[in-house]
Amino acid sequence: VQLQASGGGLVQPGGSLRLSCAASGFNLANYAIGWFRQAPGKEREGVSCISDGNTHYEDSVKGRFTISRDNAKNTGYLQMNSLKPDDTAVYYCAAVRSYYCTVLPSYNYWGQGTLVTVSS
């Protein structure tokens, strides 16, 4: 059972990135997917989540980030637009078997993280 986050990199302010979260060893379609991030010197925080029952965005990313999933590819995504320096962090995806999702860190499976750096 594994989650693999990818797609991070260096981007200028105002730019875009799409993060991917590929699952192996289990059917991601039966799980809620959460995205979290941890900036240098700060605690890990929730960003967004998606499930059969709901989709949620934290206020800090609402209108700029879009979470989605492709069950056929067993993969979740986080499209990040209008990136700001404050979005710089290691981004983690996570999964939990639940009809509803939250951005509390109560997830069973975690990916290894992918670094997003927003800087000019």
Side-chain angles (χ1 to χ4, degrees):
V1 173
Q2 189 175 12
L3 286 174
Q4 181 80 27
S6 62
L10 174 64
V11 63
Q12 292 187 342
S16 298
L17 282 175
R18 188 177 79 156
L19 305 184
S20 298
C21 178
S24 58
F26 67 104
N27 187 354
L28 194 58
N30 297 327
Y31 288 72
I33 302 169
W35 284 95
F36 298 79
R37 67 186 180 187
Q38 187 165 18
K42 295 186 177 181
E43 294 187 355
R44 188 175 300 188
E45 63 176 1
V47 174
S48 179
C49 68
I50 186 170
S51 67
D52 287 341
N54 68 306
T55 302
H56 172 80
Y57 298 93
E58 287 292 276
D59 287 345
S60 58
V61 305
K62 199 172 292 183
R64 299 187 298 122
F65 291 11
T66 303
I67 193 170
S68 63
R69 66 195 307 160
D70 186 335
N71 292 334
K73 294 183 178 180
N74 218 29
T75 300
Y77 302 97
L78 185 68
Q79 176 68 42
M80 306 187 296
N81 298 329
S82 302
L83 283 162
K84 306 174 182 180
D86 283 350
D87 295 317
T88 296
V90 177
Y91 283 72
Y92 300 88
C93 64
V96 63
R97 189 151 188 154
S98 176
Y99 184 76
Y100 291 104
C101 71
T102 73
V103 291
L104 296 174
S106 54
Y107 284 68
N108 299 114
Y109 305 123
W110 290 82
Q112 85 291 0
T114 184
L115 177 63
V116 172
T117 304
V118 184
S119 175
S120 55

